């Protein structure tokens, strides 16, 4: 993807790369940083419209609702990747362990960005490739206070790097963030979730080494309040989620999950954001071995924004 710039001043390309992820997410939130933290990043949530407040709807649920793993008492490991257009990528790794008698600990990594961005100088000649890499390091703690109520806290370290092959552009930002989550089970099969996402999350940038009139500034991620409900009914589960961003944006999600076959779970869901409906489907197949822990394979497909095409998800995990 060609980008016009002057090699003596990398300002324009820095701003262009900075907006690549945001513009590909949704126009309502497109001007705000941290798109990869809001992006549907695992196969299960691709098939639930992006619902991430419950353990059954996302392998990365602890990153959005740290209380979601409180009622899951097995150790687990999951890894996944997303195939995207425009040379963008997302890769995830997650692990969770119970802490008896009632707590659990989860850690993970989300790697996202854009590569192979072709840079051109002011004369139109190729000037090498640029890359944009965003890393989110996550840790969350959850505790059950009863068989119906759980609370969780998550912390994240954020890093972002814009770089070039010839090292004429080397811009780095970093920051911290936190989140809170609750799970309440008022009736049999029903779960209510509430979460505060990206509390005080931001990137801090210093551009004095790059530009003659550089400065230090903070780029804040939009904070949101999310709530959702999941109802399990025999072989079918229904889930709803509302994500309210304090900048005035709202995202609504709904999904149905079918697990009528013991080894298979199939999900279909939609999200309504920026006055557009985005559908998705996913499937999980579990393999049980005579020796060794059971493992599962996840596949997901979700429709992207207009002109983007489909987003394809692949995941693998094990519970033990």
């Amino acid at each position: 993807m060609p980008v016009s710039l002057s090699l003596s001043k990398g300002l324009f390309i820095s701003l262009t790369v900075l907006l690549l992820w945001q513009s590909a997410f949704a126009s309502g939130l497109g001007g705000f940083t941290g798109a990869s933290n809001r992006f549907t990043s695992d196969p299960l949530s691709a098939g639930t419209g992006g619902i991430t407040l419950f353990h059954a709807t996302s392998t990365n649920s602890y990153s959005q609702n740290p209380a979601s793993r409180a009622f899951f008492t097995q150790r687990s490991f999951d890894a996944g990747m997303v195939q995207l257009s425009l040379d963008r990528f997302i890769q995830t790794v997650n692990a969770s362990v119970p802490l008896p008698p009632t707590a659990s600990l989860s850690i993970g990594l989300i790697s996202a960005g854009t590569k192979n961005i072709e840079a051109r100088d002011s004369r139109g000649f190729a000037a090498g490739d640029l890359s944009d890499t965003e890393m989110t390091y996550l840790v969350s703690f959850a505790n059950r206070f009863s068989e119906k109520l759980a609370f969780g806290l998550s912390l994240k370290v954020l890093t972002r790097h814009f770089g070039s092959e010839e090292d004429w552009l080397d811009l780095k930002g970093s920051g911290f963030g936190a989140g809170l989550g609750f799970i309440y089970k008022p009736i049999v099969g029903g779960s209510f979730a509430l979460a505060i996402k990206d509390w005080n999350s931001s990137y801090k940038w210093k551009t004095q080494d790059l530009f003659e009139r550089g400065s230090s500034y903070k780029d804040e991620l939009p904070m949101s309040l999310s709530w959702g409900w999941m109802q399990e009914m025999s072989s079918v589960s229904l889930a709803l989620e509302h994500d309210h961003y304090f900048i005035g944006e709202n995202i609504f999600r709904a999904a149905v999950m079918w697990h009528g076959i013991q080894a298979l779970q199939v999900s279909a869901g939609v999200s309504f954001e920026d006055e557009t409906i985005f559908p998705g489907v996913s499937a999980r197949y579990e393999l049980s071995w005579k020796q060794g822990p059971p493992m599962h394979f996840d596949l997901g497909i979700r429709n992207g924004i207009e002109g983007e095409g489909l987003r394809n998800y692949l995941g693998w995990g094990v519970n033990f």
Side-chain angles (χ1 to χ4, degrees), residues 138-157:
L138 299 152
V139 59
S140 74
F141 174 81
N143 187 58
R144 299 188 309 274
F145 292 97
S146 69
E147 294 302 316
K148 293 186 176 182
L149 179 64
F151 167 81
L153 170 67
S154 66
L155 300 173
K156 63 175 65 175
V157 176

Side-chain angles (χ1 to χ4, degrees), residues 25 29 34-35 37-40 49-53 63-65 180 193-198 222-229 240-254 270-274 302:
F25 176 69
L29 291 165
N37 282 266
R38 303 185 294 272
F39 208 90
T40 302
I51 295 177
T52 55
L53 293 180
S63 68
Q64 305 296 320
N65 179 12
L180 299 172
L194 183 70
I196 297 176
K197 304 177 184 179
D198 286 318
M223 187 171 68
S224 67
L225 175 66
S226 298
W227 68 271
W229 178 270
L240 301 171
E241 182 178 295
H242 173 212
D243 213 349
H244 172 70
Y245 289 87
F246 294 116
I247 58 174
E249 295 293 331
N250 293 277
I251 298 178
F252 300 90
R253 304 179 177 98
V270 296
S271 67
F272 180 74
E273 49 194 279
D274 196 33
R302 190 172 189 264

Side-chain angles (χ1 to χ4, degrees), residues 113-186:
T114 310
K115 56 186 178 180
N116 298 325
I117 306 170
E118 183 182 330
R120 294 185 178 274
D121 60 23
S122 57
R123 299 169 298 173
F125 293 113
D129 289 338
L130 304 176
S131 63
D132 164 24
T133 304
E134 189 171 10
M135 307 288 285
T136 304
Y137 304 90
L138 299 152
V139 59
S140 74
F141 174 81
N143 187 58
R144 299 188 309 274
F145 292 97
S146 69
E147 294 302 316
K148 293 186 176 182
L149 179 64
F151 167 81
L153 170 67
S154 66
L155 300 173
K156 63 175 65 175
V157 176
L158 304 163
T159 66
R160 193 162 190 178
H161 177 241
F162 301 107
S164 63
E165 283 185 337
E166 292 77 13
D167 294 330
W168 59 266
L169 177 63
D170 185 18
L171 179 61
K172 297 178 181 179
S174 61
F176 299 90
L180 299 172
F182 299 86
I183 291 285
Y184 179 57
K185 297 176 176 288

Side-chain angles (χ1 to χ4, degrees), residues 2-55:
V3 183
S4 297
L5 76 156
S6 169
L7 280 177
S8 61
K9 294 182 180 180
L11 178 59
F12 180 77
I13 186 57
S14 300
L15 295 176
T16 302
V17 176
L18 181 66
L19 294 175
L20 280 174
W21 266 99
Q22 279 73 18
S23 62
F25 176 69
S27 62
L29 291 165
F32 295 88
T33 194
S36 65
N37 282 266
R38 303 185 294 272
F39 208 90
T40 302
S41 58
D42 70 277
L44 285 188
S45 59
T48 60
I51 295 177
T52 55
L53 293 180
F54 307 97
H55 170 69

